[in-house]
Amino acid sequence: MNKVKSIHFVGIKGVGLTPLAIIAKQAGIKVTGSDVAEEFITDQALKKAGITPLVDFLPEHLPKNLDLVITTGAHGGLDNPEVVAARERLIPVMTKGEAVGAFMQGDLLGRSFTQIAVAGSHGKTTSTAMLATVLQKAGFDPTYIIGTGSTSALDLPGHLGKGQYFVAESDEYATEPAHNHKAQFLWQYPDVLLLTNIEHDHPDIYPTLMDVEKVFREFATHISTKGFIVGCGDDELVYSLLKEHPGKTISFGFSPKNQYVLTRVHISGGQMFFRLQREGMDLEEFRLSVFGEHNALNAAGVVAVCMELGIPLEKIKEALPEFSGSKRRLEYKGQLTTGAYLFDDYAHHPTEIRNTLKSLRIRYPKSTLIAIFQPHTYSRTKALLPEFVTAFDDANDVIIMDIFSSAREKKDPTITSGLLAQQLAVRHPAVLYLPTIEDVAALLSKENLKDNTVIVFMGAGDIYKTIDLLPKI
């Protein structure tokens, strides 16, 4: 693999492939790639890295001298025309999951790393970005793969560092949904695992919570015998996994049963503070530039990993505030010309929605909170419908948009956003169904929403594009 000099990325704009392409280019590998013309949150990162995606998927996009093709599970996956053409030319093909494993092993980069995987149903992007930031600001120059378009304090979502650590966001979704349901993170064999939580998600691949738990437990068996797992012990499935794992484990959370215990979280002067105890010893106060108890939990996991790696506590404390968020993770987007505050968030699971709204309610206790949600995939909306109905309690008003369908699934006429809005209205006093981005933008533009209003856009689809249509300061 270390003889690979040229890689073509199919679906290069995906948040999984963009960091890999950036790392490959930084390693001196010739990088090409293709994707649709539609705007993505990774466009600026690719441009900054000097990578220009080819538009559409055509066999002629493949360079003459090509050593490897890496493909996403979207855009047809292994059936994509460029992937089919590569195989006809006997060019090796890897999926994103396989490639992340190979990069972490150092096979494609000609060196070895201390591999750190960050996994969980929620919080893995933020935790990965936060951990990479701390390691970078503490002087360790890690290599990292973060599944987003950009993150504060770091130049790009992918980076080939000179240090020993390789930090990667590790996804439990299928390697290739049409042909290979093996979890993507099962291609990895890390030394360290940071595990945030285990919940039912991706029902198109995992019909039950038990199926999700099973694959996380299998991943735990991949951890090096000399390594360790850091997990959130407040999550009962994670805590059970830690207790049964034969190797070294460390737990963190609010519960006193954990080894690292959060004792106080509060906001002051636009920043969040929390205290942490380790085995009963007070580590005193930490400062964050992001808010929400879920981010305090993310930070506690990062602190635990860093301390177990032997990184000095003072360096961790100095570096943590440098992280002020990632693209589409409760990202502040400015104000309407009338004064209302705008936030954009990737939340697409009931737990994520609940955490986002709770965080905003605590930060803006007296404001009117408007939640605008674009459900993501028919399968998730249908399987978790009862949980979605109870997720919006902290919002004053709720707007439900049409379901954003994934390219990996067919339309299911038995589940609609209208049905979600109807069931939500039974519980919530103010629910509105507006199908499109244009419908939502038109409503918000004509309402005189002052600075006592907070608007949050939530979803894993293209809902964030609504903000570009609004009159902003």
Side-chain angles (χ1 to χ4, degrees), residues 58-60 62-64 66 69 78-93:
L58 305 170
E60 52 264 36
L62 300 179
K64 287 185 179 180
L66 182 60
V69 167
L78 295 175
D79 297 319
N80 182 283
E82 293 182 4
V83 176
V84 172
R87 286 184 155 173
E88 288 174 352
R89 286 172 51 182
L90 303 182
I91 298 168
V93 173

Side-chain angles (χ1 to χ4, degrees), residues 262-277:
L262 281 152
T263 57
R264 184 169 182 256
V265 179
H266 68 283
I267 296 173
S268 177
Q271 290 191 309
M272 187 166 69
F273 298 83
F274 68 93
R275 296 187 76 90
L276 199 60
Q277 291 181 350

Side-chain angles (χ1 to χ4, degrees), residues 285-331:
E285 197 163 64
F286 294 79
R287 180 166 55 96
L288 288 174
S289 300
V290 290
F291 60 97
E293 284 188 355
H294 62 294
N295 276 323
L297 264 180
N298 291 333
V302 168
V303 171
V305 168
C306 291
M307 291 197 69
E308 297 301 323
L309 290 173
I311 296 171
L313 180 60
E314 288 309 309
K315 284 194 172 186
I316 300 170
K317 286 187 175 183
E318 289 173 9
L320 264 179
E322 295 287 330
F323 176 77
S324 58
S326 297
K327 191 80 171 173
R328 302 220 60 226
R329 267 66 181 183
L330 203 45
E331 180 185 7

Side-chain angles (χ1 to χ4, degrees), residues 380-397:
R380 181 184 288 112
T381 309
K382 185 174 184 176
L384 303 180
L385 185 62
E387 289 86 351
F388 280 117
V389 168
T390 64
F392 293 88
D393 289 356
D394 276 314
N396 297 98
D397 301 280

Side-chain angles (χ1 to χ4, degrees), residues 183-258:
Q184 292 182 33
F185 57 29
L186 293 182
W187 296 100
Q188 302 172 22
Y189 291 86
D191 302 289
V192 178
L193 170 60
L194 172 55
L195 183 52
T196 59
N197 43 59
I198 300 173
E199 284 201 65
H200 189 205
D201 198 7
H202 305 301
D204 55 326
I205 301 297
Y206 305 110
T208 69
L209 176 58
M210 188 179 297
D211 296 314
V212 181
E213 181 186 10
K214 180 179 178 181
V215 78
F216 274 96
R217 284 181 173 273
E218 184 176 354
F219 188 33
T221 68
H222 286 210
I223 309 307
S224 162
T225 54
K226 295 181 180 179
F228 56 89
I229 301 176
V230 172
C232 179
D234 291 353
D235 184 300
E236 289 304 320
L237 294 182
V238 173
Y239 191 71
S240 174
L241 182 153
L242 295 177
K243 288 300 180 185
E244 296 174 21
H245 183 69
K248 179 181 177 181
T249 62
I250 300 97
S251 62
F252 66 92
F254 287 96
S255 170
K257 70 182 179 182
N258 295 299

